Amino acid sequence: MNLRIPGPTPCPEDVLQAMSKQMINHRGKEFAELLGQVTSKLKRAFQTNGDVFILTCSGTGAMEASIVNSLSPGDKVLSLSNGAFGDRFATIAERFGADVTRVKFEWGQAVDPDAAKRALDADPKIKAVLVTHNETSTGVTSDLEAIGAVVRKFDKLLIVDAISSLGCIDLQVDAWGCDVVATGSQKGWMVPPGLAFVSVNERAWKAHAEAKMPRFYWDFTAAKEYLEKDQTPWTPAVSVFYALGVALATLEKEGLQNIFARHARLGQQTRDGIKSLGLSLFADESCASNTITAVKSPEGVDGKKLVATVRDEHGIVLAGGQASLAGKIFRIGHLGFVTEADIDDVITQLRLALPKLGFKVPG
Ligand SMILES: *Cc1c(COP(=O)(O)O)cnc(C)c1O
């Protein structure tokens, strides 16, 4: 099967093999060494000199951790959302008592930094801004550097969901002024689900010192205290750490800039391939993501049926649409352990599958 969903993504064989190793004491020397190594490598991938914590959870856990460690109930928060994951971020903040102003952008479009500026101008009491770097539900990457510049100018806290972009698309945590940034192991990192990574800078630590949202498992103070001893506060997903160690070594060998270039190439290849089939991209091409491509289901073709046909008859696992986009789009993941040949296969199989559903492929 060619697994082309935006996570969990396929893993290299040596990453999978690493997971079959025997358990070790997570308070012992061997784990301490592994934790130290992977943490330094992650800092380089985040392009930060701040702290990076590895949490045992999926990406959503890191989103929740980012919020409860930075905010207090009643704090005013600006949510910039252009899709299902942006909405989720706002909902988490609301659930913990934040007073959230939701600024929404059309699905398929990027977050507009000028709209962020207007919203911050309109309400000086806003304390933090929530944004999704790469909106996986619509296949859109927003200009985080420009958003970061706006948020910095207003001196607010910038909390970023970079779950499907970090490690694939350039994200300069320090240079762009991102205060808290979250990602998950099963997206671009070539690692199974189970770990999430979150960066915390000086400004975020200051916010943390005053933040009163309830937290225990997610507490960054505990994470920092333990990391100083090369430990995690709670039992980590040891096997996934083994996998992470191998995957990060491979990623460092390829090099960050080469990884970004590979994803840019694969993104372009996917978009070109889709257009060659006579299909339309869902996202505005000026902000189309290099890790995930959303495609409009053609007129008269049910997207769910298309996804089922390519899975059952062509060996390709695509993702459907989420929320209001269910049945209307399908999505192709091209992040992590993926090559040109994998994308060629997707396009070739779609070319064969589409006529079965009544869509005539041109040429
Ligand atoms: C996958 C994803 C999430 C959710 O992560 P889980 O690991 O499923 O909890 C959140 N935001 C974005 C942008 C994602 O791609």
Side-chain angles (χ1 to χ4, degrees):
M1 279 286 179
N2 187 351
L3 181 64
R4 296 268 60 93
I5 61 172
T9 59
C11 301
E13 196 54 40
D14 57 352
V15 168
L16 298 175
Q17 289 298 329
M19 304 247 315
S20 65
K21 278 200 320 187
Q22 187 55 275
M23 288 304 104
I24 52 174
N25 178 7
H26 65 297
R27 307 268 176 235
K29 198 167 138 247
E30 209 180 328
F31 183 79
E33 258 166 39
L34 176 58
L35 178 60
Q37 269 171 26
V38 293
T39 302
S40 329
K41 288 194 169 90
L42 282 174
K43 283 189 195 182
R44 290 197 281 274
F46 274 67
Q47 305 181 65
T48 185
N49 293 314
D51 290 297
V52 171
F53 299 123
I54 303 174
L55 312 174
T56 287
C57 59
S58 80
T60 306
M63 291 165 81
E64 182 169 317
S66 303
I67 285 170
V68 299
N69 277 286
S70 312
L71 299 166
S72 300
D75 276 351
K76 284 204 160 185
V77 172
L78 173 64
S79 145
L80 305 171
S81 175
N82 58 341
F85 289 108
D87 287 354
R88 180 184 297 182
F89 218 2
T91 301
I92 296 171
E94 269 166 3
R95 198 68 61 82
F96 283 91
D99 177 2
V100 180
T101 300
R102 290 175 185 250
V103 173
K104 296 190 178 211
F105 301 87
E106 199 185 319
W107 288 27
Q109 299 291 330
V111 167
D112 175 9
D114 286 335
K117 184 173 177 296
R118 286 193 294 276
L120 289 169
D121 257 328
D123 189 349
K125 291 219 181 78
I126 287 168
K127 186 170 174 192
V129 176
L130 308 180
V131 71
T132 315
H133 181 210
N134 187 74
E135 183 46 80
T136 316
S137 66
T138 60
V140 166
T141 307
S142 290
D143 185 349
L144 187 59
E145 185 176 12
I147 296 163
V150 169
V151 175
R152 254 319 49 82
K153 204 153 153 234
F154 284 85
D155 199 25
K156 311 298 183 186
L157 199 68
L158 179 57
I159 307 179
V160 181
D161 169 354
I163 293 177
S164 62
S165 55
L166 241 174
C168 308
I169 298 172
D170 193 20
L171 197 180
Q172 301 176 25
V173 168
D174 288 357
W176 298 355
C178 303
D179 300 309
V180 184
V181 181
T183 182
S185 61
Q186 82 279 18
K187 300 284 171 99
W189 302 94
M190 315 194 300
V191 172
L195 295 177
F197 322 130
V198 57
S199 68
V200 183
N201 70 6
E202 269 315 312
R203 183 189 308 266
W205 279 118
K206 281 197 194 105
H208 174 78
E210 296 166 5
K212 297 208 165 49
M213 281 184 180
R215 54 185 179 259
F216 181 82
Y217 190 74
W218 303 131
D219 196 351
F220 287 165
T221 296
K224 179 142 178 104
E225 222 174 272
Y226 277 82
L227 190 58
E228 275 158 15
K229 309 182 279 186
D230 282 321
Q231 291 184 17
T232 55
W234 333 115
T235 309
V238 171
S239 307
V240 192
F241 267 86
Y242 294 154
L244 181 63
V246 173
L248 286 175
T250 304
L251 291 172
E252 286 217 331
K253 211 178 280 167
E254 184 176 1
L256 259 193
Q257 299 309 321
N258 291 333
I259 292 170
F260 301 153
R262 174 166 55 86
H263 283 88
R265 256 190 337 265
L266 291 166
Q268 192 60 52
Q269 184 192 353
T270 308
R271 293 188 290 275
D272 291 345
I274 285 302
K275 287 189 280 185
S276 78
L277 296 172
L279 299 176
S280 304
L281 302 170
F282 176 74
D284 190 304
E285 218 173 333
S286 65
C287 56
S289 166
N290 286 331
T291 59
I292 171 101
T293 295
V295 183
K296 286 182 190 162
S297 306
E299 193 72 37
V301 175
D302 176 5
K304 287 181 190 165
K305 215 165 158 190
L306 177 61
V307 168
T309 303
V310 294
R311 179 192 59 218
D312 297 340
E313 299 173 27
H314 296 270
I316 311 273
V317 185
L318 300 175
Q322 288 165 288
S324 62
L325 293 176
K328 298 197 178 119
I329 63 165
F330 62 92
R331 295 172 301 144
I332 306 164
H334 34 87
L335 67 171
F337 184 48
V338 49
T339 64
E340 271 85 356
D342 295 320
I343 301 305
D344 276 340
D345 182 34
V346 172
I347 302 300
T348 303
Q349 297 307 322
L350 277 172
R351 192 180 291 283
L352 296 171
L354 282 161
K356 296 184 192 169
L357 298 151
F359 180 79
K360 200 166 171 299
V361 175

